[in-house]
Structures are given as C-alpha cells and as structure tokens.
Amino acid sequence: MTEPVVLTGVRDGLLEVTINRPDKRNALNAEVVSRLDVVLADAEQDASVTGILFTGAGENAFIAGADITEVRSYSFRDGLSSQLQRLCDRIEAFPRPTVAAVNGYALGGGCELAMACDIRMASETATFALPETALGVLPGAGGTQRLSRLVGRGRATEMILTGRFVGAAEALTAGLVTTVCPPDELLDTARECLTRISARGPVAVELAKTVIRHGLDADQGTGMLIERLAQSVLYTTRDKAEGASAFLDKREPRFSGE
C-alpha cells in the first residue's frame, strides 16, 4: 500500500505536517500541494490546533523544490493560477503560529514554503537556494518577494540570479532562519518554540502576526496606525484582563481566546 505523500499528526495541540516523498527528496508535485491545501483548510477550522510545524521526511531534504517532471509541462495558465503561490499565501495568513523545521535541502518551492512560515529553524545540514533561473523560470511562489524582505534586496537578488546554495550558518547570519541546531535536536527545538507561543494570548498572537505582515507592506506611519488599532482591540478582550491579573497574582494565565 502506497504511503500518503503528506503525513499529519497532533501533539499537544500542535499539528505536525511532514512532506513524505523521501525517494524524491520530498519534491512538491500537484498531489502534495493539493493535500497540503486540504490540511491547511481543515486546520483553519479546528480551534484545537494551536500551531503548525512543517518538515520533510528523512534526513536529506526538507523539500527539494518542485517536481521537475511536472514543471516541464507547465503552461501559461499554470503560471497564472500558481497553486503553490496560493498555498504559500495560505500558510503565511494562517492565524496561528507556523514553524518550518528545515532538515536538509530547502530548494525552490521548498525554500518558498519555508519562507511563508512565521519562523524558520534549520539543522546544521540544511541548505537553501532558489535555483529556478537555471530552468529558465523564476521563483514563482513568493520567492522574489519574501526573500527580499527577509535578507535584503541585494542578497536576495544575488541568490535568485545566481541560484547559489546557502548553508545553515550563512542563512542564520542573513536572517533567513532564526535558529540552527544539530539534526537530532531540530524537531524538539521547533516543538518547544511552538509550545511557548501557544501558551501566550491567542488573539494577541494572531493580531501580532497580522500587524507584522501588513505593516511591512506599508509606510511606517501606516504600520504604526495598524499597530495602534490592533492594540485597541486587544485592550477590550477578556484575555488582556486575564493576562494582567495572572501577572499580578504570580500565576500562569488561563487564556480563553476571547
């Protein structure tokens, strides 16, 4: 019996999503993208899911790009529909925290999916690249936009135009990832991060994500206005009252998401 191309499991409210094509270095094909879209749709409706961890099966690859056997037949309309770009946008807009645990090659669409997550953590063996120009195309799932925002225009331009591979240490220095750790510690480190976030006010986390994302696309004054409005909303919530009371009472808060 063929194994699913995407494996899912829930641990203490955290949804772990594993791209499961190790024989293809977890390359993204239409089946994987479709399945990930369903997983995201289900998670959006499931309030018990407090965060999502993405990783790849095996030790060699997170996601080694798109499946080139499919790319070869892509047409003009495939470019316009850009299902992978839509998926990455959906990951970026997910209301609860997302972490990419990059355990090997994160190339092309794999790097783009990782960049759509809120936080990227890498094993010491991780490698990042956007090599699409070698195929006569460009990073079309948000790579040209998200990489520039993460590492700066100059470095992003150089990486995209040359397709140069970047190791974990350089990715950390450049700001592409926030943490680098030994391979056998990666998943536990990512889980710990998500668990820490899930203990905080869920409405505050969701609005903080929204303000950061949309503020980056605006001038600073507009970003500050968005921040002010979000804070005004949070001041009206039960979670704000609970958080302040818990702090003063020297106890752990019991957030309700209201």
Side-chain angles (χ1 to χ4, degrees):
M1 186 174 179
T2 305
E3 281 200 22
V5 294
V6 174
L7 303 176
T8 59
V10 178
R11 295 167 53 115
D12 300 322
L14 304 179
L15 175 61
E16 298 189 7
V17 179
T18 304
I19 290 76
N20 186 40
R21 299 183 74 208
D23 58 321
K24 302 292 185 182
R25 296 200 299 181
N26 302 321
L28 296 169
N29 62 7
E31 183 183 4
V32 173
V33 172
S34 176
R35 179 58 189 152
L36 287 173
D37 198 51
V38 171
V39 168
L40 265 291
D42 290 344
E44 287 166 359
Q45 300 302 314
D46 188 348
S48 69
V49 172
T50 58
I52 303 180
L53 186 159
F54 293 92
T55 195
E59 300 178 355
N60 297 323
F62 173 69
I63 302 168
D67 193 319
I68 306 303
T69 59
E70 290 188 353
V71 173
R72 183 168 54 183
S73 64
Y74 282 173
S75 68
F76 173 81
R77 293 196 176 277
D78 292 313
L80 286 180
S81 63
S82 192
Q83 295 303 309
L84 183 55
Q85 187 187 84
R86 293 174 189 271
L87 173 67
C88 289
D89 287 348
R90 190 166 203 168
I91 292 171
E92 184 178 55
F94 189 73
R96 280 143 277 162
T98 56
V99 171
V102 181
N103 53 314
Y105 288 109
L107 311 180
C111 185
E112 290 174 300
L113 189 148
M115 289 192 293
C117 293
D118 297 317
I119 298 168
R120 285 152 299 286
M121 297 182 166
S123 78
E124 294 167 339
T125 59
T127 303
F128 300 82
L130 293 173
E132 285 89 343
T133 53
L135 300 175
V137 295
L138 54 72
T144 62
Q145 303 306 303
R146 292 190 178 98
L147 187 62
S148 298
R149 286 163 169 77
L150 287 168
V151 305
R153 178 179 173 181
R155 191 188 295 263
T157 301
E158 184 257 346
M159 284 180 62
I160 291 169
L161 297 189
T162 66
R164 182 172 65 86
F165 282 41
V166 170
E170 183 180 347
L172 180 63
T173 300
L176 182 53
V177 301
T178 60
T179 303
V180 174
C181 57
D184 60 351
E185 297 178 11
L186 178 62
L187 288 180
D188 283 343
T189 302
R191 289 169 185 142
E192 181 182 350
C193 177
L194 280 169
T195 298
R196 183 174 182 179
I197 296 171
S198 67
R200 309 181 89 77
V203 182
V205 168
E206 180 175 350
L207 283 180
K209 284 185 44 153
T210 300
V211 171
I212 293 167
R213 185 170 73 252
H214 292 292
L216 280 172
D217 293 329
D219 62 87
Q220 183 169 320
T222 302
M224 298 287 278
L225 174 60
I226 296 170
E227 179 184 87
R228 223 162 42 241
L229 293 173
Q231 186 76 299
S232 299
V233 171
L234 290 171
Y235 281 170
T236 70
T237 63
R238 292 180 181 177
D239 278 354
K240 184 271 293 184
E242 168 60 16
S245 296
F247 179 85
L248 294 172
D249 295 342
K250 296 180 172 57
R251 61 174 174 81
E252 292 299 317
R254 296 182 292 271
F255 293 120
S256 64
E258 298 177 351

